[in-house]
């Protein structure tokens, strides 16, 4: 075997669903990896963030010069980004701009190869906006001077993928489903483990350079069959599926939004794509990079096993920007950030910080919020009806979180073990909100637990919102602090008590 090029492999989109799983597999295969993402905290918080074979670098596909600097010295780059998120009005236009920046930056940085994971879909007038965008990105990448390898996949089956989560929640929550006619559209899904094998293995196969490959399982199935397989593997009663001609992709996306944690902004392009057949038209890749292809049943079984064992490596919820909230820092001067309401409370418990931390970092998800969970659930339902994420998406890991993780209708902004957990609200609000839990260990071995809530209102509605929920804070936040002490097994010495200061204004 020829000696490998020692230069690193870049992974652009390293904190996304595929990227976060690809990095450790590249490391296992012996490659030096440069993990590139928009937020350094998200990169550093990954399990592989401090691995000696991994270098984390901040880079944004919409910053061509910065992207070129991030790619400098790399021999190849995996392009695993897309703009299909609630913050982007026209994801196809954004993806076009990003692809053009990628080709220019890769060429200027001297990268020898781009590897792109796109989507299957026949070129036809009725092809969905989403499926049309993926090959368009591939063509834009090909238009550059750097050779491109393209893998085209249909639905990826794996714990945490958006498509799988839609399937899981629909089947588990609805014994009778009225579905659009696309429920019988043929497709060839692929297990996430098979996708990752192709991506890693192609680096050692020069024959894949400059080529496009369809990847999928050997069997052709419909979404109806996948629902049946899921019900059987999850040991659920038979699900009744009734296709009707009146459900449009828009209506389907709203229904998916209400029943599953996947937002309508993401569900709609996925639902539109389901109406198009997505089939593999060649099997060349199976000869070039042979591997056992998992059947749909086995892929679903393994995904369910990972969920049962709470071993979800990455989730569709991990992707996306982390909103900057510089105004929320407790140490900010009084004039910073405009009007910011604050509600701080503290208590003292008879435990060291190390024993308090698991109760703090384990908050949310199935654990709940330690007090008045019905109020949190009600707020989640209201948020879902308003188009927000709601509380149903839970958390990826029940015991640990990292920067960038979704946690109910919050996003983890910062984690400092045994010291600080900072969350930024993603629910629909007339303003911006942050919730922070701080631990300070005292010299006598006790710990001060401090809860800091910050809210920056937007207009009159924001002011009204803050004053309307303020009475509930005494109930919810005091109960939450007491619940943390109880869950940690400690005795409260003092508090919970409010700290002075409710508002600062510029």
């Amino acid at each position: 075997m020829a000696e490998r090029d020692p230069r690193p492999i870049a992974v652009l989109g390293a904190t996304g669903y595929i990227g976060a799983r690809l990095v450790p597999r590249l490391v296992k295969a012996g490659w030096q990896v440069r993990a590139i993402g928009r937020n350094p905290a998200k990169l550093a918080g990954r399990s592989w963030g401090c691995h000696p074979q991994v270098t984390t670098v901040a880079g944004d596909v919409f910053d061509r010069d910065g992207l070129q600097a991030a790619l400098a010295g790399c021999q190849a780059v995996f392009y695993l980004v897309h703009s299909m998120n609630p913050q982007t009005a026209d994801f196809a236009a954004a993806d076009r701009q990003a692809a053009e920046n990628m080709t220019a930056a890769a060429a200027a940085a001297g990268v020898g190869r781009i590897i792109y994971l796109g989507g299957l879909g026949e070129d036809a007038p009725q092809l969905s906006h989403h499926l049309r965008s993926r090959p368009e990105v591939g063509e834009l990448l090909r238009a550059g001077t750097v050779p491109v390898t393209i893998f085209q996949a249909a639905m990826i089956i794996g714990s945490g993928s958006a498509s799988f989560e839609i399937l899981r929640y629909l089947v588990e929550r609805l014994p009778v489903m009225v579905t659009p006619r696309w429920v019988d559209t043929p497709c060839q899904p692929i297990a996430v483990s098979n996708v990752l094998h192709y991506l890693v293995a192609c680096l050692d196969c020069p024959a894949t350079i400059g080529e496009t490959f369809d990847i999928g399982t050997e069997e052709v199935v419909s979404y109806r069959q996948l629902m049946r397989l899921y019900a059987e593997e999850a040991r659920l009663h038979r699900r009744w599926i009734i296709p009707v001609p009146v459900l449009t992709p828009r209506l389907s996306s709203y229904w998916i939004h209400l029943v599953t944690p996947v937002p309508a902004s993401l569900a709609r392009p996925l639902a539109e794509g389901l109406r198009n057949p997505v089939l593999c038209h060649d099997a060349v890749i199976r000869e070039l990079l042979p591997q056992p292809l998992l059947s749909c049943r086995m892929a679903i079984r393994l995904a369910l096993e990972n969920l049962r064992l709470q071993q979800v490596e990455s989730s569709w919820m991990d992707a996306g920007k982390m909103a900057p909230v510089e105004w929320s820092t407790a140490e900010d001067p009084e004039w910073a950030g405009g009007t910011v309401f604050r509600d701080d409370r503290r208590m003292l418990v008879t435990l060291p910080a190390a024993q308090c931390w698991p109760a703090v970092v384990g908050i949310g998800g199935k654990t709940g919020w330690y007090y008045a969970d019905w109020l949190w659930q009600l707020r989640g339902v209201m948020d879902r009806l308003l188009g927000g994420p709601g509380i149903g998406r839970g958390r990826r890991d029940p015991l640990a979180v990292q920067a960038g993780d979704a946690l109910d209708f919050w996003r983890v902004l910062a984690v400092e073990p045994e010291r600080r957990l900072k969350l930024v609200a993603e629910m629909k609000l007339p303003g911006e909100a942050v919730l922070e839990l701080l631990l300070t260990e005292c010299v006598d071995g006790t710990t001060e637990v401090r809860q800091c809530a910050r809210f920056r209102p937007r207009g009159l509605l924001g002011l009204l919102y803050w004053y309307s929920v303020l009475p509930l804070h005494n109930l919810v936040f005091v109960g939450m602090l007491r619940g943390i002490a109880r869950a940690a097994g400690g005795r409260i010495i003092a508090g919970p008590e409010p700290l002075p200061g409710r508002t600062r204004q510029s």
Side-chain angles (χ1 to χ4, degrees):
M1 182 177 178
E3 186 175 347
R4 278 180 169 176
D5 187 332
R7 291 180 298 163
I9 306 294
V11 178
L12 190 57
T15 58
Y17 178 70
I18 295 293
R21 298 182 184 220
L22 178 61
V23 170
R25 285 160 177 80
L26 290 171
V27 168
K28 186 177 180 181
W31 298 100
Q32 293 291 321
V33 181
R34 185 175 298 172
I36 304 174
R38 286 176 294 194
N39 192 284
K42 287 179 72 173
L43 291 165
R46 294 298 181 263
S47 59
W48 38 258
C50 296
H51 195 282
Q53 287 174 237
V54 178
T55 303
T56 60
V57 177
D60 191 329
V61 290
F62 299 107
D63 175 7
R64 186 176 296 188
D65 293 338
L67 185 57
Q68 178 183 331
L71 294 173
C74 292
Q75 59 170 303
V77 55
F78 284 93
Y79 187 72
L80 303 172
V81 299
H82 64 76
S83 303
M84 199 168 66
N85 59 64
Q87 291 80 35
T88 305
D90 187 345
F91 69 84
D95 278 343
R96 286 192 292 272
Q97 182 61 57
E100 291 171 356
N101 289 344
M102 178 73 241
T103 57
V111 174
R113 182 182 184 186
I114 298 171
I115 302 164
Y116 168 60
L117 178 61
L120 276 172
E122 300 178 14
D123 188 10
Q126 69 273 20
L127 195 65
S128 75
H129 193 46
H130 165 53
L131 292 182
R132 191 178 300 280
S133 172
R134 309 316 293 151
E136 182 182 34
V137 168
E139 290 304 313
L140 287 170
L141 294 175
R142 279 187 178 281
T145 59
V146 179
V148 182
T149 299
I150 299 176
F151 291 102
Q152 299 183 142
M155 174 185 179
I156 295 177
I157 300 178
S159 56
S161 82
S163 298
F164 181 75
E165 290 301 292
I166 290 174
L167 174 70
R168 179 164 78 98
Y169 278 93
L170 287 177
V171 177
E172 289 187 354
R173 293 183 173 180
L174 301 174
V176 178
M177 285 176 272
V178 178
T179 67
R181 287 177 294 185
W182 50 247
V183 76
D184 291 312
T185 302
C187 66
Q188 280 179 273
I190 186 169
V192 64
S193 58
N194 290 139
V195 174
L196 293 167
H197 175 86
Y198 283 137
L199 294 176
V200 175
C202 78
L203 291 170
D204 287 318
C205 183
T208 61
I209 298 176
E211 302 295 333
T212 297
F213 302 101
D214 295 348
I215 58 175
T217 183
E218 296 179 358
E219 58 187 322
V220 176
V221 296
S222 66
Y223 210 71
R224 182 202 295 266
Q225 289 172 297
L226 289 174
M227 290 176 171
R228 177 180 57 79
L229 288 173
Y230 184 95
E232 291 174 0
E233 289 301 317
R235 298 184 180 180
L236 301 171
H237 293 298
R238 178 182 177 183
R239 267 38 190 167
W240 296 91
I241 301 169
I242 307 169
V244 296
V246 295
L247 282 179
T248 65
R250 180 187 291 273
L251 290 175
S252 299
S253 68
Y254 293 151
W255 180 242
I256 291 170
H257 174 87
L258 290 174
V259 176
T260 81
V262 179
S265 58
L266 179 57
R268 184 176 179 185
L270 292 176
E272 288 176 341
L274 291 173
R275 69 190 180 191
N276 301 117
V278 279
L279 304 173
C280 298
H281 292 288
D282 67 70
V284 176
I285 194 63
R286 298 177 194 171
E287 299 174 5
L288 285 175
L289 305 176
Q291 64 167 316
L293 290 173
L294 298 181
S295 66
C296 293
R297 180 182 292 278
M298 184 56 67
I300 290 172
R301 183 178 300 172
L302 289 178
L304 286 172
E305 182 69 5
N306 287 333
L307 288 168
R308 185 182 68 82
L309 296 175
Q310 299 176 338
Q311 296 177 345
V312 181
E313 289 183 68
S314 62
S315 168
W316 65 271
M317 297 182 293
D318 299 340
K321 291 183 178 180
M322 289 171 59
V325 284
E326 293 87 352
W327 55 267
S328 67
T329 305
E331 293 78 16
D332 280 349
E334 292 298 313
W335 47 263
T339 298
V340 176
F341 293 105
R342 52 187 291 185
D343 188 338
D344 297 355
R345 299 162 194 272
R346 66 177 289 275
M347 70 176 177
L348 197 63
V349 295
T350 57
L351 290 175
Q355 289 181 243
C356 294
W357 179 249
V360 170
V361 79
I363 204 165
K366 291 184 178 179
T367 299
W369 294 82
Y370 295 123
Y371 186 79
D373 278 346
W374 67 273
L375 281 175
W376 292 93
Q377 293 287 348
L378 178 61
R379 181 65 181 86
V381 170
M382 293 169 59
D383 183 60
R384 203 67 179 150
L385 292 173
L386 292 171
I391 206 168
R393 64 184 182 179
R395 49 186 290 161
R396 180 185 56 83
D397 188 303
L399 302 177
V401 293
Q402 52 198 14
D405 274 3
L407 201 166
D408 291 340
F409 41 41
W410 303 87
R411 176 79 56 183
V412 179
L413 196 63
V415 184
E416 296 178 36
E418 300 180 15
R419 183 178 179 273
R420 179 171 75 132
L421 175 66
K422 188 172 186 178
L423 311 174
V424 58
E426 292 191 329
M427 74 279 278
K428 293 291 184 179
L429 286 172
E432 302 170 73
V434 165
L435 177 63
E436 192 168 13
L437 293 167
L438 299 166
L439 301 181
T440 304
E441 188 168 324
C442 306
V443 293
D444 60 357
T446 60
T447 298
E448 180 193 73
V449 184
R450 182 175 295 196
Q451 161 264 311
C452 306
R454 302 282 185 274
F455 181 70
R456 184 164 70 169
R458 186 169 56 245
L460 178 60
L461 190 59
L463 297 174
L464 294 174
Y465 175 83
W466 172 258
Y467 286 112
S468 67
V469 300
L470 196 57
L472 296 175
H473 287 185
N474 291 318
L475 178 71
V476 173
F477 288 146
V478 168
M480 183 173 68
L481 286 173
R482 287 175 176 162
I484 288 173
R486 185 169 56 252
R491 180 172 58 86
I492 299 175
I493 303 172
E497 59 189 4
L499 294 172
R502 287 290 178 102
T503 309
R504 72 166 186 261
Q505 295 184 344
S506 62

